[in-house]
Amino acid sequence: MRAAGRGASMLNSRHLLGIKDLTAEEIMLYLNSASSFKDILKRDIKKVPALRGRTVVNLFFEPSTRTRTSFELAAKRLSTDVINFSAPSSSILKGESLLDTALTVEALGADIIIVRHSFSGVPHMLSRHLRASVINAGDGTNEHPTQALLDAFTIKEKKGGFGGLQIAIIGDIIHSRVAKSNIYCLKKLGADVRLIGPATLLPECFRELGISTFNNMEAGLEGADVIMMLRLQLERQGKGFFPTTDEYFRQWGLSRKRLQAARPDAIIMHPGPMNRGIEISSDVADGGNSVILEQVTNGLAVRMAVMYHLDERKEQ
Amino acid sequence: MPKKLLDSKEIDRTLTRISHEIIERNKGTEDLCLVGIQRGGVHLAERLAKKIKGTDGADIPVGSLDISFYRDDIRIRQPAVSRTDMPFDVEGRKVVIVDDVFFTGRSIRAAMDAIMDMGRPALVQLAVLVDRGHRELPIRADYVGKNIPTSGGERVEVMLAEDGHEDGIFLVSPGELNEGGRQGREHA
């Protein structure tokens, strides 16, 4: 107890690369601290001096508005200085290598580098060469850890805990780093996870983790406490995974009628941006069970908690 | 053996006196609130509120403040963040910050900044159970339970019944081992 009071961090790494590497205790540390940060976001002065003087760089090699904005605002709420460095406007077009770009950013004095890239493993590679903390903001089809943490935080707020909870993740599982991070996270926290989607988008490998898979929406939604919709990644389609988007909605879209199979108090989540009328109908997305906009707010609190604790870990 | 500086009875008498001083100095209890600094100050703030109610009959709101985000020394941050619980608006109130041991003054500076970010109190005062000296900032207490001169290497531990101990304040010499399992708060 006493040693812990001396600022010993509970984190094993100064980077956040994926949920796969985290323990349940590390996840809960983030979730518990996020509650405190959420309280701050409700105040008139939505800012604390916790990371004053630190520099945070958003290094985004893939287009993103909401994740980048969320990280940017979270960093500002911690009193850091934030720089946004995105691919199309940077020297990447001039042929600079990925690592050179990251080293340049670090040489500017970055303490935390937030990386998004369309190739899986890029944040991991950079973390081996940088003294700064690296946060994975989405790498290819691998992981998107802060999305899973904010989803878990939202579930904990709404349902009180994870034990015995039935959580259905629906849609384009195979392309989804959000799904992968959420599966790791929710399994570690003790929830029951099931996956629903067309066979072409639903990898069998997750069965090894004790996860059931369904191709039929009604069967999969039966008794669900949490319904987690995924964005159909239209930019990654066109390879014959399903016939048309209309057909997709008829089979795997979440409509008010389908919702009846789940528990009446089931919450509906979506990481955004939504394709209305393709994976989710508008009345469900805007309905009383939807917590989609709360996820956005919670994302700020969770990202503040992540940066706060990684900074603390680095100080050791 | 750690030296016992105050026992349970003395702590109780001290808190009774401080509660009277708070009422006297503020000419009553109007707009008064108590804010305990986690973890040591919260139980003391609750005890003071009970005593003020006993004397004056008024229910004084009590807040519980986590100062992690406001500390100036990252190395003394707590590993887990506790939740700040302020069930009232500090705007326009007379806020009495309560802490167990008054040492460098850095925690009090952090607490004042945290409170100011929540609103603009009419005034802020400070009540401490023990003042052990060694200030590093120009901050003073309005209400002091006991002044205890210490050397820099010594530690003051406050044990409270709310944490499952017998009430007591101890002075621990440098190099002296703490009894295993005791989880009083240390102020090195």
Side-chain angles (χ1 to χ4, degrees):
Chain A
M1 284 302 282
R2 212 155 262 135
R6 292 268 151 192
S9 171
M10 287 166 70
L11 297 178
N12 292 316
S13 168
R14 68 172 197 279
H15 308 293
L16 176 61
L17 302 175
I19 301 291
K20 194 179 181 181
D21 315 317
L22 298 186
T23 63
E25 290 71 31
E26 288 175 296
I27 295 170
M28 288 310 292
L29 173 72
Y30 287 134
L31 303 192
N32 289 333
S33 296
S35 305
S36 292
F37 284 109
K38 191 170 182 183
D39 290 343
I40 287 162
L41 297 173
K42 292 179 199 151
R43 308 190 314 201
D44 284 344
I45 299 176
K46 301 176 177 58
K47 194 164 180 153
V48 288
L51 264 62
R52 205 158 47 109
R54 303 284 194 280
T55 303
V56 174
V57 177
N58 271 321
L59 187 55
F60 276 55
F61 297 93
E62 203 185 57
S64 160
T65 308
R66 55 180 62 215
T67 303
R68 204 212 65 219
T69 309
S70 177
F71 269 111
E72 181 177 352
L73 194 53
K76 286 178 172 167
R77 298 290 193 225
L78 291 167
S79 304
T80 69
D81 295 307
V82 192
I83 302 165
N84 290 310
F85 206 91
S86 39
S89 61
S90 76
S91 45
I92 293 146
L93 284 179
K94 300 174 190 163
E96 187 176 51
S97 85
L98 185 64
L99 182 57
D100 282 336
T101 304
L103 288 171
T104 303
V105 161
E106 187 174 63
L108 289 171
D111 300 289
I112 298 176
I113 301 181
I114 296 154
V115 182
R116 170 171 283 197
H117 200 286
S118 54
F119 287 175
S120 301
V122 165
H124 306 69
M125 184 277 280
L126 293 179
S127 74
R128 288 192 288 274
H129 295 91
L130 296 173
R131 278 185 301 276
S133 286
V134 175
I135 299 176
N136 181 359
D139 64 324
T141 57
N142 180 40
E143 281 222 47
H144 189 354
T146 57
Q147 179 70 44
L149 291 174
L150 80 88
D151 288 341
F153 178 76
T154 306
I155 293 170
K156 183 169 168 274
E157 266 199 337
K158 295 291 168 189
K159 297 292 174 188
F162 299 93
L165 225 50
Q166 300 292 330
I167 300 176
I169 304 178
I170 297 147
D172 187 355
I173 310 281
I174 201 163
H175 295 109
S176 176
R177 54 197 178 204
V178 173
K180 226 160 287 169
S181 286
N182 262 306
I183 291 165
Y184 289 131
C185 187
L186 296 167
K187 288 301 285 181
K188 281 172 201 254
L189 296 173
D192 284 325
V193 180
R194 34 176 125 149
L195 307 175
I196 312 171
T200 46
L201 295 173
L202 192 50
E204 291 291 311
C205 58
F206 288 110
R207 289 207 181 151
E208 290 167 25
L209 292 173
I211 290 166
S212 43
T213 57
F214 296 86
N215 297 127
N216 179 284
M217 194 65 173
E218 279 78 6
L221 284 176
E222 185 72 42
D225 299 287
V226 176
I227 303 170
M228 206 177 263
M229 301 305 296
L230 298 172
R231 184 174 70 89
L232 189 64
Q233 301 196 20
L234 298 168
E235 70 275 17
R236 297 190 216 268
Q237 305 298 341
K239 291 175 186 163
F241 290 109
F242 55 89
T244 64
T245 51
D246 284 352
E247 174 69 11
Y248 184 87
F249 182 74
R250 271 197 296 279
Q251 293 290 327
W252 297 285
L254 189 64
S255 61
R256 186 143 298 279
K257 187 162 164 282
R258 287 239 162 87
L259 195 52
Q260 289 169 358
R263 284 174 55 98
D265 62 349
I267 56 168
I268 294 152
M269 308 176 74
H270 193 296
M274 276 186 284
N275 296 307
R276 287 173 185 263
I278 297 178
E279 69 255 1
I280 189 165
S281 69
S282 270
D283 58 346
V284 173
D286 305 328
N289 296 41
S290 166
V291 297
I292 295 170
L293 289 175
E294 278 176 75
Q295 286 174 270
V296 178
T297 313
N298 291 342
L300 275 179
V302 163
R303 290 180 175 117
M304 285 172 82
V306 167
M307 286 187 262
Y308 176 80
H309 285 296
L310 290 181
D311 180 74
E312 183 179 62
R313 174 67 175 71
K314 252 182 73 188
E315 283 296 314
Q316 281 187 355
Chain B
M1 268 301 281
K3 188 176 153 205
K4 199 178 217 175
L5 301 170
L6 285 184
D7 65 16
S8 159
K9 263 204 184 114
E10 288 165 320
I11 290 175
D12 190 61
R13 267 203 297 273
T14 304
L15 290 174
T16 304
R17 174 175 54 79
I18 291 177
S19 72
H20 289 153
E21 286 176 1
I22 291 174
I23 299 170
E24 190 185 4
R25 172 86 68 94
N26 293 290
K27 301 184 174 63
T29 55
E30 203 183 341
D31 294 332
L32 201 63
C33 65
L34 303 177
V35 176
I37 299 181
Q38 290 174 15
R39 296 178 329 133
V42 181
H43 296 319
L44 296 175
E46 279 159 3
R47 289 195 199 184
L48 284 172
K50 221 175 272 171
K51 288 187 181 295
I52 290 171
K53 187 176 167 63
T55 309
D56 190 86
D59 279 308
I60 306 298
V62 178
S64 156
L65 188 65
D66 179 278
I67 55 168
S68 304
F69 307 146
Y70 291 86
R71 300 208 90 123
D72 59 2
D73 184 352
I74 202 163
R75 267 162 275 272
I76 53 171
R77 271 188 198 163
Q78 301 295 315
V81 177
S82 321
R83 201 151 179 191
T84 288
D85 180 22
M86 298 279 280
F88 52 85
D89 191 353
V90 297
E91 191 76 27
R93 279 190 185 269
K94 299 173 181 173
V95 177
V96 181
I97 297 173
V98 182
D99 205 0
D100 50 1
V101 180
F102 190 23
F103 185 24
T104 61
R106 289 177 190 271
S107 303
I108 308 303
R109 196 279 309 160
M112 286 194 286
D113 282 353
I115 290 167
M116 296 298 181
D117 276 359
M118 295 172 195
R120 186 181 185 279
L123 59 84
V124 178
Q125 298 170 344
L126 172 63
V128 297
L129 187 55
V130 174
D131 182 351
R132 61 163 293 190
H134 304 282
R135 216 75 71 233
E136 293 169 5
L137 293 170
I139 292 173
R140 56 154 186 80
D142 300 270
Y143 315 99
V144 179
K146 192 173 170 62
N147 283 296
I148 299 173
T150 59
S151 71
E154 287 171 326
R155 289 197 309 276
V156 175
E157 287 197 12
V158 177
M159 313 283 219
L160 293 176
E162 287 89 337
D163 291 325
H165 308 284
E166 194 186 329
D167 276 2
I169 300 175
F170 299 87
L171 186 66
V172 187
S173 305
E176 202 168 23
L177 285 177
N178 304 303
E179 293 163 34
R182 273 210 336 214
Q183 286 170 21
R185 272 158 305 269
E186 63 166 330
H187 294 264

